[in-house]
Amino acid sequence: MSDILEQLTLVLEARKAADADSSYVASLHAKGLNKILEKVGEESVETIIAAKDAALSGSKDDVIYETADLWFHTLVMLSHLGLSANDVLTELARRFDLSGLEEKANRTSK
Ligand SMILES: N=c1c2ncn([C@@H]3O[C@H](COP(=O)(O)OP(=O)(O)OP(=O)(O)O)[C@@H](O)[C@H]3O)c2ncn1[C@@H]1O[C@H](COP(=O)(O)O)[C@@H](O)[C@H]1O
C-alpha cells in the first residue's frame, strides 16, 4: 500500500473514537452511514462534472481535486463499515492480470 494510503488508513481508524467537534471524520461517523453515503454521492457527481469540464477546457486540476475528495469519502465509508483500503487493494490484486471480460464471465451474481 502507498505510504499516504497506509497513514490515512491509520488516521481514519483512530478518528472512529475521536471527538466529533474536533474532527471532520469523527463528525461523519457521528452523523452515520446515510450522511457518509450522501457525501460519496455528492463527490461522485462533482468528479463527473470535473471530468466533463476537463474534456472541454483541457484543465485537469479539478479532476484530481474532486477524485481525491471521492477517494477520501469512500475510505471513510469503508472504515465506517469495518473495512479498509487494504480490502479493496486485495480485491484489485486478485483481479490483476485477469482480462475484464474474463473476470466478468467468472462473476457470481452480485
Ligand atoms: N483527506 C482528507 C480530506 N479530503 C477532504 N476532506 C474534507 O471533506 C469535506 C468535503 O468538502 P465539502 O465542500 O463537501 O464539505 P462541506 O461543505 O464542509 O460538507 P457538508 O457540510 O456539505 O457535509 C471538506 O470538509 C474537506 O476538508 C478531508 N478531510 C480530512 N482528510 C484527511 O483526514 C484526516 C483526518 O481529518 P479530521 O478528522 O478532520 O481531523 C486529515 O488529517 C486528512 O489527512
Side-chain angles (χ1 to χ4, degrees):
M1 199 172 2
S2 82
D3 266 6
I4 189 63
L5 205 45
E6 204 163 331
Q7 289 174 54
L8 187 52
T9 297
L10 293 175
V11 171
L12 294 184
E13 193 52 36
R15 290 299 194 269
K16 286 166 92 172
D19 180 1
D21 290 333
S22 60
S23 155
Y24 174 69
V25 174
S27 77
L28 285 178
H29 287 302
K31 287 173 187 163
L33 182 61
N34 283 353
K35 177 65 185 180
I36 296 168
L37 297 180
E38 184 186 307
K39 295 302 293 180
V40 171
E42 197 180 292
E43 303 303 347
S44 300
V45 171
E46 286 173 9
T47 300
I48 291 166
I49 292 169
K52 293 291 281 185
D53 286 350
L56 294 173
S57 71
S59 169
K60 297 176 186 167
D61 288 355
D62 283 355
V63 180
I64 296 168
Y65 189 91
E66 297 299 346
T67 303
D69 272 355
L70 176 59
W71 284 17
F72 167 72
H73 285 89
T74 59
L75 291 172
V76 175
M77 175 195 73
L78 290 169
S79 171
H80 193 81
L81 295 170
L83 298 167
S84 74
N86 210 37
D87 295 303
V88 179
L89 293 176
T90 300
E91 174 60 15
L92 288 174
R94 185 191 68 76
R95 296 178 190 182
F96 190 75
D97 226 12
L98 188 64
S99 147
L101 297 175
E102 199 182 330
E103 196 277 338
K104 190 171 180 182
N106 290 340
R107 278 186 188 185
T108 52
S109 55
K110 272 192 182 175

